[in-house]
Amino acid sequence: MSLKKLLTLIVCMAVMAIAVSCKKQNKETVKIGAIFAVTGGASFLGAPEAKTVQMLQDEINAAGGIDGKNIEVIIKDSAGKPENAISFAKQLIDENKVFAIIGPSTSGESMKIKSICDDAKVILVSCAAAESIVNPISKYVFKTPQKDSDAAQMILNLMKKKGITKIGVVSSNDGFGAEGKKQLEKLAPGAGVQILISEVYDKKATDLTGVLTKIKAKNVQAVVNWSIVPAQSIIAKNMKQLNMNVPLFQSHGFGNIKYVKEAGEAAEGIIFPCGRLLIVDELADSHPQKQVLAKYKKDYEGKYAEDASTFGGHAYDALMILVEAMKRGGSDKEKTRDALENLKGFAGTGGVFNYSPADHTGLDINGFELLTVRGGKFVKYEDK
Amino acid sequence: MNAKKYIPVAVLVGCIVLFQVASSLIGREFYLTQLTMAAYYSLVILGLTVLMGYTGQISLGHAAFFAIGGYTSAVLTTLDLSGAAGNPVVKAVAAAGLAAVSKDAYGAETLVLSPWAALVAAVVITAIVAFLIGIPILKLKGHYLAMATLGFGIIVYRIVLGASLFGEADGISDLPPFPIPGGLAVCGDPARRVENFYIAAVLVVAGVVLLINLVDSRVGRALRSIHGSEEAANAMGVDIARYKLLVFVLSAVFACVAGVFLTHFNGGIRPSEAETMKSVSYVAIVAVGGMANLWGALVMGVVLNYLSLRGYFGSYDEFVFGSILIGIMMFAPEGLLRMESLRGLAGLPARIKSMFGAKNEE
Amino acid sequence: MPFEQILQYIFSGITNGSIYAIVAIGFNIIYNTTGIINFAQGEFLMLGGMTAISLSAFMPLPVAILASVVITSFVGALIDFIFIRRLKKPTVLNMVIITIGLSILIRDIALHVWDEKVRSLPYFTGSEVTSINILGAYISPQVLWVLGVSGIIVALLGVFFRVTVTGRSMRACASNMTAARLCGINTRNMVTISFMLSAAIGALAGCVVSPITQTQYDCGTSLAIKGFTVAILGGLGNSTGAVIGGIVIGLLEAFSISIMPLAYKDAIAIAVLLLILFVRPSGLFGKKEAAGLKEF
């Protein structure tokens, strides 16, 4: 029985796949490609990003689209694998002839398709954070997440204020962790902070008591963890279980309430920089981002019954910025690119964007707010 | 007759040209890109087929050799030697014409090893590693062999993931194109898609021809005797250990060459190419194509890799591979493209029925 | 190194080690009865943890864990019925590929049933921040649960195999399948039971370790690999060896952190595996002939 079902399932899937791929030949719309890691190891990035984009597509089209034309976002699931990203990028550009591409979700994938998009003169608005995506600058490549260096700087600034001079750093062995480690090591001396020990753990690590034992022995005054993996919760728990009572700083990868839930009580007091989406309720109504953030949070949570995260926000920014540029540049790729490159004062979820020919990130340290966890919720960090 | 065995090769060449012309005509030249990538992966699979099919050795870590080839070439063609220009070794290399001038990501000039020299280095290194690893590994049998190759694959993965020389998690990017005499180059430039397709095709055809000759030669017969029965082969005076090692190294070199060229085609390489899952998918395709069936492996390799790269299976990619693995092993252990298996599949409904009949009897 | 630090590493080592040992024992049970190495063993731990987490939403924790153990053992039985029983003359290669395929399949199904989010069971006693001080080392109470449950599993299995009829029948199958059949033992059923038992202890281990390591759809793979290493280190089929091997590997990994970059910790187990395979494939406690006996 189960075997027949299995075979039937496979046949059905094949039929579905064929049916789905037939649907894509609609010519009345403007096509925008999107490569997200909806499944796989980076799905906590790609899944909310894909959902956000789907939600926005419907919203934009319901409001009349761009100059009366509907947009069609073709989402490809790269599962976080760069080979797939490369393959899909080429497919979207050559076969689907998309106007522009948003995504991918991870820095590794973005780096691999950077030159493909640039050579093909197709605009790429990446949702990944690595600085190397926009440095060196490629004419057609932009990104929406804040700079890792700004995140690191924010943490170090606070440490300087609090008189913390000796720290331990742990990071995951993926691109995000590596970048954070690099930035911390680069900027720490400038803030008078000494990194006594810096260790890299496997992104699939499930127990960090070993490395924390090593760090505890060095008598550090604070620990910084830089990763986007579940280890963010594990490290909080392990620290408390090892009776380490020094402050724990995390990266902006911590910006998802599920990590707080996972870490339970151990999450209290963690400090990290983040986009303002998570504390939108604390913002004054006059804050330029308030309206955008409040609406996004409400719409996303209403539609998908799950917490909005800053990661989905990156995709929101990417699509909305692209659409704004397309409104100004019409259906001309070059004009749209120029419009994007000169976009100023655009309030997105990540901050207020100001692009320029020398800056394809658009955000500076003010895109970040320092947050902490109190009573199981994210709140703004107040210095006492 | 000697020429008869090349007829399938001629058919293959015909198909290749036909496909390229057709895709240009319908404006879908784009298919060529993914087919090129699939072709390189098939090169790995061809080598693996001979290893698994003819000598019966499982290798669950073959992606490691692909990675060794790709990473070696990547490192050597991007490592800037200009800082060490005074070093006598560097000077000798440059004098021998093995160096090249390239640009790094920021546009500054760098001195690197020429891609051809890097290719030779990659092949040599891979062969040495395969040789050294092969000697102890090939003494093992069955599950132990599987585990050892799995372990080897994981160690290589950990090394390329952990070492800063290999770019850690991000791997290495911005590789220079690989120049081929005649003004051609292996690179990802869409304008050069057609020539890259043919380069890959030439390599695959060359690989197939090489392996056909190998299988039909004295060496090949010795291999098949080993697969049939090791004791018998031993009794006939076949030096089993030597042949197993030979095939192991050869299949490693195939993977290495595929790695070098695909890395240049993609312009970069990442640790994910050395992952266990990749090795498993290679093994799966060999099994599906028919253990000792070069053509089966080639066809399946191209087809499955192509479909996977096109995202045809969507988020069910792994599910499909897993199901294929199980399905083939249960219903067509000789592989899908074998006559017996095809006949077997035709009898599938009857077999399923009898399975349930048998179940009731227990 | 101060004593407290050494003790801390020791605790870390034996905690991880006991989980590896349970996975290895799971392999051994199936291997002993069938000669198959079940590459999907790690998935039993994952399934056990995931099922318990889902069930704990509407039943008390102990009931949820019990239910998940039962359910997972049925999954084990199902695997045997659908896939293993159908094979007529499997070669090692076939078995390896099938169980790998199963592991991939189960992982992907788990991904679609439970999605990619990470979850964990609540701590059995205490919470995320409770910490017990033992002679200067600090551990979570859950660590004691892991050690306790593992110990009980090993002890109970020992009794099972020595005292009960089923257990002794399984040992008979392990020694010589044909002779066992001639004695009237239903070897087919013994195989099913071995799968169920492996799945059950895997599920229990998955539950007890879930609060510490968290459970995710793909957490089974790396556990399986470490489990193999331990199983081979202790001698394939030898469960006492598995326990000792587990502790050895666990301690090696823990202490390696103190002297080398953490990044290479996972390579240690593999390096040990390769060393064992090259030098003494029968492992620390296996007999040399045993290594050759279980071939197809």
Side-chain angles (χ1 to χ4, degrees):
Chain A
M1 294 151 294
S2 314
L3 204 57
K4 242 192 216 160
K5 268 202 192 135
L6 193 70
L7 290 171
T8 325
L9 184 65
I10 295 180
V11 169
C12 283
M13 272 166 22
V15 169
M16 261 179 7
I18 298 176
V20 163
S21 58
C22 284
K23 259 189 9 188
K24 288 188 205 143
Q25 304 305 321
N26 196 336
K27 287 187 179 56
E28 306 287 28
T29 60
V30 176
K31 292 191 230 177
I32 300 178
I35 304 177
F36 293 130
V38 184
T39 60
S43 49
F44 55 92
L45 294 172
E49 286 168 355
K51 290 195 179 110
T52 302
V53 159
Q54 272 161 339
M55 181 179 86
L56 285 177
Q57 177 191 254
D58 297 334
E59 226 176 82
I60 294 175
N61 287 340
I66 306 179
D67 297 329
K69 276 191 261 184
N70 276 356
I71 60 165
E72 183 197 340
V73 182
I74 304 174
I75 301 181
K76 290 282 187 195
D77 176 11
S78 68
K81 296 195 190 143
E83 315 84 67
N84 291 355
I86 294 175
S87 181
F88 290 141
K90 295 184 183 178
Q91 191 175 341
L92 287 169
I93 294 176
D94 290 328
E95 203 172 301
N96 304 100
K97 306 228 187 309
V98 295
F99 187 85
I101 299 181
I102 51 178
S105 315
T106 66
S107 307
E109 296 171 86
S110 307
M111 287 309 296
K112 288 292 183 246
I113 67 170
K114 185 176 162 186
S115 43
I116 296 177
C117 294
D118 216 39
D119 289 340
K121 299 202 189 354
V122 169
I123 300 170
L124 177 70
V125 189
S126 168
C127 297
E131 214 144 311
S132 37
I133 297 175
V134 292
N135 183 7
I137 288 203
S138 289
K139 213 166 154 219
Y140 292 86
V141 177
F142 301 82
K143 76 174 173 75
T144 52
Q146 304 93 336
K147 283 201 259 213
D148 292 321
S149 53
D150 288 334
Q153 189 65 58
M154 228 181 174
I155 293 177
L156 290 166
N157 288 347
L158 182 63
M159 285 179 174
K160 189 165 174 194
K161 229 160 99 179
K162 286 170 92 87
I164 295 177
T165 53
K166 297 191 194 317
I167 63 172
V169 173
V170 280
S171 51
S172 55
N173 67 352
D174 51 25
F176 185 79
E179 184 66 27
K181 176 173 169 333
K182 195 169 95 186
Q183 294 301 336
L184 284 169
E185 286 169 358
K186 190 166 111 186
L187 299 169
V193 172
Q194 200 190 356
I195 300 179
L196 293 181
I197 173 172
S198 177
E199 289 279 358
V200 176
Y201 56 83
D202 186 72
K203 59 182 186 271
K204 287 207 181 313
T206 54
D207 178 45
L208 295 164
T209 49
V211 69
L212 282 173
T213 307
K214 202 173 170 185
I215 295 181
K216 187 178 176 190
K218 300 248 175 198
N219 291 317
V220 295
Q221 295 169 302
V223 174
V224 181
N225 173 47
W226 203 280
S227 67
I228 38 178
V229 289
Q232 295 177 101
S233 314
I234 298 180
I235 199 158
K237 294 193 273 191
N238 285 163
M239 274 180 73
K240 286 285 185 278
Q241 286 154 6
L242 280 177
N243 205 28
M244 276 178 87
N245 290 316
V246 293
L248 173 62
F249 290 86
Q250 303 250 26
S251 70
H252 43 300
F254 195 65
N256 188 317
I257 199 79
K258 73 176 180 195
Y259 293 126
V260 173
K261 291 195 185 126
E262 255 311 308
E265 251 182 81
E268 295 291 309
I270 293 180
I271 307 173
F272 65 105
C274 199
R276 296 187 175 81
L277 176 63
L278 302 172
I279 44 133
V280 60
D281 298 323
E282 289 187 54
L283 290 176
D285 283 341
S286 55
H287 194 285
Q289 284 180 275
K290 171 102 187 195
Q291 210 186 5
V292 167
L293 288 173
K295 180 166 189 295
Y296 173 58
K297 188 159 190 276
K298 195 170 119 211
D299 289 345
Y300 188 90
E301 292 178 359
K303 180 157 185 182
Y304 294 112
E306 69 180 37
D307 296 298
S309 67
T310 47
F311 309 126
H314 296 322
Y316 176 98
D317 293 338
L319 186 56
M320 295 309 273
I321 287 176
L322 181 65
V323 164
E324 179 67 28
M326 283 165 75
K327 284 189 182 147
R328 298 181 191 193
S331 45
D332 183 303
K333 273 192 201 155
E334 291 300 315
K335 291 217 185 82
T336 307
R337 190 214 76 89
D338 292 338
L340 214 169
E341 196 176 51
N342 291 301
L343 196 61
K344 304 255 185 285
F346 184 90
T349 65
V352 178
F353 287 86
N354 294 300
Y355 285 110
S356 78
D359 178 8
H360 279 201
T361 299
L363 293 174
D364 61 12
I365 201 168
N366 293 314
F368 280 127
E369 190 80 48
L370 267 181
L371 302 184
T372 182
V373 178
R374 207 178 307 134
K377 294 199 200 311
F378 288 128
V379 296
K380 230 176 13 178
Y381 176 78
E382 305 285 339
D383 236 347
K384 282 170 245 359
Chain B
M1 263 231 70
N2 255 354
K4 228 171 67 169
K5 70 183 176 194
Y6 292 119
I7 293 182
V9 179
V11 172
L12 176 65
V13 172
C15 287
I16 291 175
V17 177
L18 195 67
F19 192 86
Q20 185 268 307
V21 170
S23 65
S24 297
L25 286 178
I26 63 174
R28 292 258 204 262
E29 276 207 347
F30 167 69
Y31 286 163
L32 294 180
T33 311
Q34 281 161 336
L35 214 57
T36 311
M37 289 171 78
Y40 283 122
Y41 285 127
S42 306
L43 211 52
V44 182
I45 291 167
L46 281 176
L48 194 56
T49 308
V50 177
L51 181 66
M52 283 175 57
Y54 289 103
T55 59
Q57 311 297 308
I58 315 172
S59 174
L60 285 176
H62 239 62
F65 293 121
F66 180 97
I68 294 179
Y71 267 99
T72 308
S73 174
V75 167
L76 290 176
T77 53
T78 54
L79 198 59
D80 186 6
L81 297 169
S82 48
N87 184 305
V89 174
V90 176
K91 272 205 188 127
V93 162
L98 292 173
V101 172
S102 167
K103 284 202 169 55
D104 72 9
Y106 295 87
E109 276 205 354
T110 57
L111 185 67
V112 298
L113 211 59
S114 96
W116 281 101
L119 171 66
V120 171
V123 170
V124 167
I125 292 180
T126 307
I128 294 179
V129 171
F131 184 81
L132 292 175
I133 283 287
I135 298 181
I137 278 192
L138 293 171
K139 288 208 184 83
L140 301 168
K141 295 206 215 319
H143 285 123
Y144 297 106
L145 174 61
M147 290 304 315
T149 51
L150 184 67
F152 169 64
I154 295 179
I155 286 210
V156 170
Y157 173 67
R158 288 278 156 207
I159 293 179
V160 299
L161 181 62
S164 62
L165 178 66
F166 297 122
E168 286 169 13
D170 291 323
I172 304 184
S173 322
D174 295 318
L175 256 62
F178 194 110
I180 312 247
L184 309 170
V186 176
C187 63
D189 191 355
R192 310 184 92 149
R193 225 190 329 243
V194 177
E195 72 190 56
N196 265 289
F197 175 71
Y198 277 118
I199 295 173
V202 162
L203 278 171
V204 169
V205 170
V208 170
V209 169
L210 182 74
L211 290 178
I212 291 182
N213 275 318
L214 183 73
V215 165
D216 263 350
S217 69
R218 257 188 86 203
V219 177
R221 285 196 291 278
L223 293 176
R224 275 179 286 174
S225 70
I226 294 176
H227 186 43
S229 161
E230 280 201 25
E231 281 106 6
N234 219 348
M236 292 296 291
V238 173
D239 186 346
I240 301 187
R242 201 182 105 205
Y243 280 115
K244 280 194 199 174
L245 194 57
L246 176 72
V247 175
F248 189 71
V249 172
L250 184 67
S251 65
V253 169
F254 263 72
C256 161
V257 170
V260 171
F261 282 104
L262 187 54
T263 303
H264 279 277
F265 182 67
N266 281 337
I269 187 170
R270 278 191 97 218
S272 57
E273 293 287 353
E275 264 178 0
T276 308
M277 202 42 222
K278 268 226 143 345
S279 296
V280 168
S281 66
Y282 293 146
V283 170
I285 296 177
V286 172
V288 169
M291 286 296 184
N293 186 341
L294 282 177
W295 295 106
L298 182 62
V299 169
M300 278 295 139
V302 171
V303 167
L304 287 176
N305 269 310
Y306 181 66
L307 290 179
S308 172
L309 284 171
R310 279 189 70 81
Y312 211 66
F313 304 125
S315 65
Y316 287 94
D317 210 30
E318 307 239 323
F319 186 84
V320 169
F321 262 106
S323 314
I324 291 178
L325 279 177
I326 299 178
I328 295 299
M329 281 301 116
M330 287 185 61
F331 296 118
E334 296 296 306
L336 206 49
L337 292 181
R338 289 254 190 193
M339 276 330 295
E340 315 90 51
S341 297
L342 286 176
R343 251 179 267 130
L345 278 179
L348 195 59
R351 276 175 67 184
I352 295 185
K353 255 198 185 158
S354 76
M355 259 169 37
F356 295 117
K359 191 179 173 190
N360 291 332
E361 279 162 27
E362 278 176 43
Chain C
M1 223 192 296
F3 175 71
E4 293 85 41
Q5 209 181 348
I6 297 183
L7 195 58
Q8 197 75 59
Y9 282 129
I10 291 181
F11 267 112
S12 174
I14 54 178
T15 313
N16 288 325
S18 55
I19 294 296
Y20 300 154
I22 300 287
V23 177
I25 292 178
F27 282 133
N28 284 336
I29 294 179
I30 294 184
Y31 180 77
N32 272 333
T33 330
T34 64
I36 300 174
I37 292 206
N38 177 19
F39 275 73
Q41 186 68 25
E43 265 61 48
F44 288 144
L45 273 91
M46 182 271 292
L47 283 176
M50 283 298 203
T51 316
I53 293 171
S54 298
L55 291 177
S56 65
F58 26 74
M59 33 177 111
L61 189 59
V63 179
I65 294 180
L66 193 62
S68 116
V69 168
V70 170
I71 294 178
T72 313
S73 59
F74 273 130
V75 171
L78 213 68
I79 290 179
D80 174 53
F81 271 116
I82 301 180
F83 303 105
I84 312 295
R85 285 200 179 207
R86 306 300 162 206
L87 302 169
K88 286 179 188 45
K89 249 215 148 278
T91 63
V92 172
L93 185 58
N94 282 0
M95 292 322 307
V96 167
I97 294 186
I98 289 194
T99 51
I100 290 184
L102 276 172
S103 135
I104 296 175
L105 216 61
I106 296 178
R107 251 207 320 272
D108 216 51
I109 293 177
L111 174 60
H112 286 100
V113 168
W114 280 293
D115 78 37
E116 83 296 349
K117 298 209 218 320
V118 153
R119 308 139 195 271
S120 61
L121 283 175
Y123 284 76
F124 292 8
T125 52
S127 75
E128 303 88 4
V129 297
T130 353
S131 178
I132 304 181
N133 187 336
I134 299 189
L135 300 176
Y138 290 90
I139 55 170
S140 161
Q142 196 66 25
V143 167
L144 295 176
W145 276 102
V146 171
L147 294 175
V149 168
S150 311
I152 294 179
I153 290 180
V154 173
L156 282 179
L157 280 178
V159 168
F160 174 77
F161 281 116
R162 227 163 282 276
V163 169
T164 66
V165 174
T166 323
R168 296 223 290 264
S169 310
M170 286 172 71
R171 276 170 62 206
C173 293
S175 285
N176 190 321
M177 201 64 131
T178 327
R181 214 174 284 138
L182 288 174
C183 287
I185 295 176
N186 187 333
T187 50
R188 274 266 164 105
N189 285 352
M190 291 302 131
V191 171
T192 312
I193 293 182
S194 71
F195 269 90
M196 290 178 72
L197 199 54
S198 261
I201 63 174
L204 189 55
C207 289
V208 79
V209 89
S210 172
I212 305 184
T213 63
Q214 295 165 192
T215 313
Q216 208 176 2
Y217 77 100
D218 62 354
C219 67
T221 331
S222 47
L223 276 175
I225 294 178
K226 299 264 173 75
F228 295 146
T229 311
V230 167
I232 293 188
L233 175 61
L236 210 50
N238 184 329
S239 284
T240 327
V243 171
I244 297 182
I247 296 182
V248 166
I249 297 270
L251 288 173
L252 261 176
E253 281 189 345
F255 280 100
S256 78
I257 296 178
S258 63
I259 40 178
M260 11 187 276
L262 178 61
Y264 294 109
K265 176 183 80 135
D266 291 321
I268 299 244
I270 306 292
V272 169
L273 173 67
L274 287 178
L275 200 62
I276 297 285
L277 285 174
F278 292 162
V279 169
R280 198 190 151 92
S282 47
L284 291 176
F285 303 104
K287 302 184 208 44
K288 275 243 166 93
E289 332 86 59
L293 266 182
K294 296 260 188 276
E295 296 312 321
F296 284 109

